[in-house]
Structures are given as structure tokens and as C-alpha cells.
Amino acid sequence: MKMKIKIDDRVTDILKSFKLPDEIGFGTTIAPVMITCDFKEGIWETPKLGPYGPLKLQPTAKIFHYGQEIFEGMKAYRVNKKGPYLFRPLENYKRFNSSAERMAMPFIPEDLFMGTIKALVDKVSPFIPNQSGDSLYIRPFMISTENHLGIAPSKEFKFIVVASPSASYFKKEKPIDVFIERFYVRAVEGGTGQAKTGGNYASGLVSAMKAEKLGYSQTLWLDAERREDCEEMSGMNLFVVKNGKLVTPALTGTILEGITRSSLIRIAKDHNIDVEERSLGLKELIQGVKEGQITEAFACGTAVILKSISSFGEEDGTTYKIKSKESEYTYQGEKVRGQIGIFLKEMLLSLQEGRSKDPYGWRVKVPTSVDSYQKVTKGDNQQVHLDC
Ligand SMILES: Cc1ncc(COP(=O)(O)O)c(C=O)c1O
């Protein structure tokens, strides 16, 4: 697959003078270059790799009024000078297009998505922090840019990819306390819960504020109709270990189909851990925690990887604290006892970071293609063909 990309002449100098701060944080340090690509008159124009900076949009651009927007969250890893590796990027690509379909936005071709991301990761590669848990967080997104105040799908869009050299999402190692949201809801059947679109997150912020005030760090969303089934957190999927089995809410159309979720399910099954994808009632969760059948709970997602949950709690301060216990699984042919969450996190992270074999073919090496770019024109902007 070949893709054309225009590289702004300023990119080389900008990258030469860029330095990582001592404290990089998560999502706060932004790489100094980015990808932009416009969709006009039904076609995607040639993408550009240029300096990171403000976008020029008219106040009547549809994105500001109707929120026609989608995004993805992915990571590139470069631990111990290996990589950079992307993790299952095709899954992000597929989910991006399925979000696009739901939000009446144009389909993006695979070479445009994968090629621009690889080009950006390659350029930013020297700035990917290389301690375990660190990564380059990549944020591809698409916004509606047509200038018109009528409520109708935009005819013009912009695809953008920015990247952020990042440390762990949560600063503290300790497990999190999760707030059971019984009033607000995140997603309804037939709505946009399955899509990665800004509105889902904006509407959840009121609960995030409430949770924080009450001393919790995440919201647990329930189904919108009956408020009886556990769904997910605002940016993470939910797992519990009940009687040694891994249980996670089934994908019903209101939950985001997490790539971390599906990866953990596969790894667990391959280590003789039973996995149940089914409805997980709130009553079952509370009772299971109280009576000690639920011995672990954790949240998972690209940003957080896997984060243990120590308790679930209510608005009135009632908390259900998990009494953690070891379970059994198989590792390298041997039966082992331990915490399933800790085991799965290490299995997943070592695979993502290139510290272990990848039996699934999930790791995708980003070619260091700067030198292999095939120049086709020279001028103010280099235009190159990129293998992707
Ligand atoms: C609402 C929501 N659920 C779950 C996830 C986890 O998905 P993934 O593992 O693909 O990052 C995310 C993060 O993207 C999310 O935003």
C-alpha cells in the first residue's frame, strides 16, 4: 500500500529543537508536529505533516454547534529501544469508521488512517519515553468543518492526528474507588454509546464532577432503561472476578467495544481462565462484593491499560469494598494462583511493549521510513510516497 503525504519543510527543524520536559504527565506534553487532511467535494485531499498548532475555523463551522466529531485513542510503545510498536491499530481503524458511520461522517480509507499514523509515529519516535508503562498516546480525530448553521450533516471534514509522549494515566499506583451513578445515564439503545464521539464524554462530565466531590475517581454507568445492569466506566470497560471466573458486561450496543477488553478476554481464555460476557446486574455486583464471591474488579482501556478497583460506592457514602483473593490460572503449562488482574496486565503490557512473544500478531512495528520515503516532488513542501 502506498500513500502520498506532504511534509512541511519546517518539520525537520521543529523536531530538532523539541525537548521533552522532565515531567511528561499523560496527555499534557504534545508532540510538535501533526497530521491534517481535508475532506471536500466527496474526496480526501493529500494529507499533510506539519507543525502542531491552532486550527483556523469559522465560528459557523458545524463542529461548534452540532458536535459531529469522532476520535480514537491508541498508543505506540518504544520500551528498551525496541519498536516503535502499535497495538492492534487495525481495530482502531475499524472502530473509527464504525463511529464515522454512526455520526454520518465519511469513511476514511485504510492507507490514509494507517499511513498518516505511521508517518507521525516515525517522526516523533525519538520522543517516545521508553520506561515500561510509558508510551506515545496517539489521538486521531475527525471534525465537521462546513460553515453553515442548518442542522444537516456537514459536507466538509478535517481528519487530524496529534500525539502526546505520555507516562502512566494514573499517577498513583493504588487501586481506584468507583462511583455507582444511579441518576445520569451515558448511553441508550439506538443511541451513540458504541461510537467514540465527543458527546458521550461531554454528557458524562457532570457525573465525573459529582464522583470527584464524593471522593471517587470514576463513574460506573448503568443501563439507561432500568438502571439495573452495569455497563462501563466513562473511558474504560469493566471486569470482575467472580468465583474465579472473569465476568464482563456483554456488548449490547450501548458499550464501547474496547480493544483492551477483547485482548484481555483472549489472553485470559488462553490461560484457562473462564470468561463470561453477559449482563452483570448491579445487585449481583453488590451482593458478590459483600459476600466475597467477587474477589477482584478492574477497569481497562488503552489509556489506563488495567487498573484495579478497590471499592464501589453510592452517593450517600455507602461503600462496597472488595475482599481480594487469589484465583487459579495456567501459565506456561503450570497451574498458578494469583490475582488475575495483575497477571493479565503484565501479559498484555509485556506484549505491547515488545518484552514478550506475540502469538496473536497484535504488535505492529512502525517502519523507520524517514529514509525510505520516496520523494516525488521538491519545493516548499516535500511530497512523498510512503509505504504503509
Ligand atoms: C467509553 C470507553 N469505554 C471503553 C474504552 C476502552 O477502549 P479501548 O480498550 O479500545 O481503549 C474507552 C477508551 O477508548 C472508552 O472511551
Side-chain angles (χ1 to χ4, degrees):
M1 226 185 323
K2 281 217 185 289
M3 187 205 54
K4 242 199 254 174
I5 184 166
K6 281 182 186 165
I7 300 184
D8 188 299
D9 279 348
R10 291 169 292 177
V11 162
T12 309
D13 287 343
I14 286 171
L15 287 168
K16 253 189 221 158
S17 56
F18 182 70
K19 287 204 170 45
L20 283 178
D22 291 339
E23 285 280 322
I24 51 175
F26 183 92
T28 37
T29 306
I30 307 296
V33 291
M34 68 176 181
I35 298 285
T36 53
C37 183
D38 289 317
F39 181 86
K40 284 184 182 153
E41 294 175 12
I43 53 162
W44 286 105
E45 297 180 347
T46 304
K48 295 177 200 137
L49 180 74
Y52 173 86
L55 301 172
K56 209 167 160 191
L57 293 174
Q58 298 292 337
T60 50
K62 282 185 187 273
I63 176 63
F64 297 131
H65 306 274
Y66 309 121
Q68 203 183 5
E69 185 269 358
I70 56 167
F71 68 98
E72 268 304 320
M74 334 169 38
K75 280 179 175 172
Y77 304 84
R78 199 176 64 96
V79 171
N80 300 334
K81 299 204 173 105
K82 286 187 188 159
Y85 299 114
L86 294 167
F87 183 70
R88 307 186 73 184
L90 266 177
E91 299 307 310
N92 295 95
Y93 167 68
K94 288 183 208 156
R95 193 169 64 185
F96 196 74
N97 273 331
S98 108
S99 299
E101 190 181 3
R102 177 64 184 84
M103 299 305 290
M105 298 173 88
F107 175 86
I108 189 158
E110 188 180 325
D111 55 351
L112 175 56
F113 187 89
M114 299 299 280
T116 51
I117 287 171
K118 284 182 184 172
L120 183 66
V121 171
D122 172 37
K123 288 284 183 194
V124 175
S125 170
F127 309 108
I128 305 180
N130 63 6
Q131 282 188 32
S132 181
D134 293 351
S135 61
L136 180 72
Y137 185 73
I138 306 160
R139 172 55 60 88
F141 62 108
M142 195 202 303
I143 54 171
S144 47
T145 51
E146 189 193 350
N147 301 310
H148 193 261
L149 290 176
I151 305 175
S154 180
K155 292 192 183 72
E156 293 177 4
F157 296 88
K158 204 181 257 299
F159 172 64
I160 303 168
V161 190
V162 295
S164 169
S166 289
S168 298
Y169 186 85
F170 285 108
K171 274 195 199 131
K172 292 182 192 146
E173 268 302 308
K174 70 180 187 45
I176 54 171
D177 300 304
V178 172
F179 170 57
I180 302 166
E181 175 61 73
R182 290 181 185 260
F183 180 71
Y184 296 113
V185 292
R186 174 186 176 274
V188 295
E189 246 177 76
T192 58
Q194 213 176 352
K196 227 167 146 51
T197 182
N200 290 342
Y201 299 82
S203 66
L205 296 176
V206 65
S207 179
M209 282 168 64
K210 196 160 77 166
E212 196 184 346
K213 235 188 222 165
L214 294 165
Y216 302 101
S217 51
Q218 284 293 315
T219 290
L220 170 65
W221 296 106
L222 305 177
D223 75 282
E225 205 182 324
R226 300 175 307 138
R227 314 277 205 283
E228 283 183 4
D229 288 330
C230 302
E231 296 221 314
E232 61 175 322
M233 264 71 82
S234 298
M236 305 162 212
N237 291 114
L238 170 72
F239 281 88
V240 299
V241 176
K242 185 178 178 191
N243 298 326
K245 287 183 185 166
L246 207 49
V247 181
T248 189
L251 301 171
T252 53
T254 53
I255 295 177
L256 192 89
E257 298 192 20
I259 296 160
T260 317
R261 175 189 179 280
S262 77
S263 309
L264 293 177
I265 289 174
R266 179 68 200 272
I267 296 171
K269 286 182 175 168
D270 288 352
H271 292 84
N272 284 341
I273 298 165
D274 287 335
V275 183
E276 292 179 356
E277 290 181 73
R278 60 168 172 86
S279 63
L280 173 63
L282 179 60
K283 277 194 186 140
E284 180 187 352
L285 175 80
I286 293 172
Q287 196 181 346
V289 171
K290 277 185 180 167
E291 294 177 359
Q293 293 128 1
I294 290 182
T295 50
E296 284 180 58
F298 53 85
C300 71
T302 300
V304 291
I305 312 165
L306 188 152
K307 190 74 181 165
S308 288
I309 296 171
S310 51
S311 75
F312 295 91
E314 309 271 8
E315 197 153 358
D316 67 4
T318 312
T319 51
Y320 315 106
K321 199 156 175 41
I322 295 164
K323 300 177 255 315
S324 62
K325 222 173 95 186
E326 295 184 336
S327 306
E328 194 173 88
Y329 52 88
T330 305
Y331 181 61
Q332 295 182 339
E334 305 270 321
K335 281 195 176 161
V336 191
R337 288 193 73 76
Q339 296 238 343
I340 288 179
I342 294 173
F343 170 69
L344 291 179
K345 181 176 182 181
E346 178 48 29
M347 292 298 288
L348 178 67
L349 195 58
S350 60
L351 199 156
Q352 291 171 325
E353 295 179 343
R355 294 185 281 111
S356 65
K357 285 208 176 110
D358 175 14
Y360 310 109
W362 287 343
R363 208 159 50 210
V364 174
K365 179 102 163 58
V366 176
T368 42
S369 46
V370 188
D371 301 327
S372 68
Y373 286 172
Q374 198 189 314
K375 282 188 193 167
V376 288
T377 59
K378 238 188 163 288
D380 289 346
N381 288 317
Q382 278 179 46
Q383 191 167 313
V384 296
H385 277 158
L386 173 69
D387 286 317
C388 50

